[in-house]
Amino acid sequence: MMRGLTMELARVTEAAAIAAARWIGKGDKQSADQAATSAMRSIFNHIDIRGTVVIGEGELDEAPMLYIGEKLGTGNGTVVDVAVDPLEGTTNVAKGLANAMAVLAVAPQGALLHAPDMYMDKIAVGPKARGRVHLAASMKENLQEVAKATGKRIDEVVVVLLDRERHYSAIEEIRTAGARVHLISDGDVGAALSTCYEETGIDMLYGRGGAPEGVLSAVALKCLGGDFVSRLAPLSDMEVMRCHKMGIANPSKVLLMDDLVRSDDAIFAATGITRGDLLQGVRYVGGDIVTTQTLVSRALTGTVRRIEGRHFMSRKPNLVMV
């Protein structure tokens, strides 16, 4: 039943990407996010699933669409958990920067961690370094393990981090150990994904970012054979209480990939919005034709598909038939 969803989910991220692309470079990230969210929800509700959003745009009173707990689908078919980020990289779209994507993950009911909207410490690596990195290890130890696993010298290892003040000490540790740093402004799901593709030159993602994005990253890396280790980082007693409310008894526990995604039968899909390292962005080629590039993968089989889409928008007035 899950296998039959792969192409349907590609349609969902395609629709979100096309809708958000209308706002590239216009400086309005809120409108871009709203457009992507509306399109994603519209397509989801034409798919035969009984879905529940476990990672979404916020709570019901914060997000009118794709909120945590929202039901998606026709009400027929497979019962699934859904994690979504209709526009990963809102600032990138607003400024016309690279690597914005529409992403989602689907897994059997109860398989995805219901991650609170808070910080999470993360390390992601590709297939060669799977099982070699740990949050308890020092930065130098992790870098040495990644270098050994990939057959590189440590000065050839590249670590991607969000360009935030909270990472300044880690950046210094990486450079002191002899490795190289690649800073990004937004979009750590895409950065985690890039560790699984040698052509990107990225060997490891490190740092503190959003926990919901961590669950999406874990599904992606499970599908692609990589590894993801993490730990929630609540910053207040209220956030600790929120963890407990969402069923996380020990927020300080190190979470391995199987803690975040408790099923091998998970699917990840991503469509590029702006130009990117892995996926080209939405392109307008004239004559009301739009092209997209989508990656969709399934953990159970390890199958990864890259889909080139060519969309005649005059035949899809509301993106309902994307």
Side-chain angles (χ1 to χ4, degrees), residues 9-24 28-45 53 56-57 63-67 70 72 82-94 100-104 270-274 282 284 318-320 322:
L9 298 178
R11 293 173 57 234
V12 175
T13 55
E14 284 175 346
I18 291 169
R22 298 288 183 187
W23 296 93
I24 293 174
D28 188 349
K29 61 183 182 181
Q30 184 174 353
S31 292
D33 192 35
Q34 184 176 4
T37 303
S38 297
M40 183 172 275
R41 184 175 189 263
S42 175
I43 304 301
F44 253 126
N45 285 333
V53 177
E57 293 285 277
M65 291 179 291
L66 294 177
Y67 57 86
E70 181 174 357
L72 294 175
V82 181
V84 299
D85 193 345
L87 202 175
E88 207 237 347
T90 54
T91 299
N92 298 34
V93 167
M101 302 186 300
V103 300
L104 65 84
T271 300
I273 300 173
T274 59
V282 174
Y284 300 92
N318 295 310
L319 294 177
V320 171
V322 167

Side-chain angles (χ1 to χ4, degrees), residues 44-231:
F44 253 126
N45 285 333
H46 286 79
I47 298 175
D48 284 333
I49 58 170
R50 288 176 285 166
T52 301
V53 177
V54 298
I55 301 289
E57 293 285 277
E59 303 290 351
L60 175 58
D61 58 348
E62 299 169 354
M65 291 179 291
L66 294 177
Y67 57 86
I68 295 171
E70 181 174 357
K71 303 301 181 183
L72 294 175
T74 63
N76 302 311
T78 309
V79 181
V80 294
D81 283 349
V82 181
V84 299
D85 193 345
L87 202 175
E88 207 237 347
T90 54
T91 299
N92 298 34
V93 167
K95 294 183 177 182
L97 302 175
N99 293 315
M101 302 186 300
V103 300
L104 65 84
V106 169
Q109 185 180 39
L112 299 181
L113 180 75
H114 294 204
D117 190 4
M118 64 178 60
Y119 281 132
M120 171 185 275
D121 295 322
K122 314 172 185 180
I123 304 177
V125 292
K128 290 182 179 179
R130 185 171 183 172
R132 305 285 288 268
V133 295
H134 307 279
L135 283 172
S138 69
M139 180 66 74
K140 184 175 182 179
E141 289 169 334
N142 279 326
L143 290 171
Q144 288 173 336
E145 287 298 312
V146 171
K148 290 176 187 176
T150 57
K152 296 183 177 182
R153 300 192 310 267
I154 199 165
D155 65 346
E156 296 172 331
V157 173
V158 178
V159 184
V160 62
L161 305 93
L162 288 168
D163 189 2
R164 304 288 189 271
E165 185 175 352
R166 62 181 179 268
H167 292 152
Y168 286 176
S169 61
I171 290 169
E172 187 61 30
E173 288 181 54
I174 293 165
R175 289 172 174 163
T176 299
R180 293 184 284 167
V181 169
H182 177 73
L183 297 176
I184 57 173
S185 60
D186 288 283
D188 63 355
V189 176
L193 199 64
S194 70
T195 64
C196 294
Y197 289 88
E198 292 181 349
E199 61 266 32
T200 67
I202 301 299
D203 301 294
M204 183 170 84
L205 172 138
Y206 181 86
R208 180 168 286 187
E213 290 84 355
V215 175
L216 283 160
S217 297
V219 176
L221 269 69
K222 192 163 194 174
C223 291
L224 296 171
D227 204 0
F228 190 86
V229 294
S230 61
R231 179 175 52 229

Side-chain angles (χ1 to χ4, degrees), residues 236-282:
S236 66
D237 290 342
M238 184 175 295
E239 288 193 345
V240 171
M241 290 176 61
R242 182 165 169 74
C243 290
H244 295 162
K245 182 180 177 182
M246 297 184 77
I248 301 168
N250 180 10
S252 62
K253 176 186 175 183
V254 173
L255 301 168
L256 303 180
M257 194 153 54
D258 287 343
D259 295 313
L260 298 170
V261 192
R262 296 182 290 270
S263 173
D264 288 333
D265 204 3
I267 299 170
F268 175 82
T271 300
I273 300 173
T274 59
R275 67 195 185 283
D277 298 326
L278 284 176
L279 295 168
Q280 71 178 31
V282 174

Side-chain angles (χ1 to χ4, degrees), residues 21 273 275 280-286 289-292:
I273 300 173
R275 67 195 185 283
Q280 71 178 31
V282 174
R283 295 182 181 178
Y284 300 92
V285 296
I289 297 172
V290 177
T291 65
T292 57

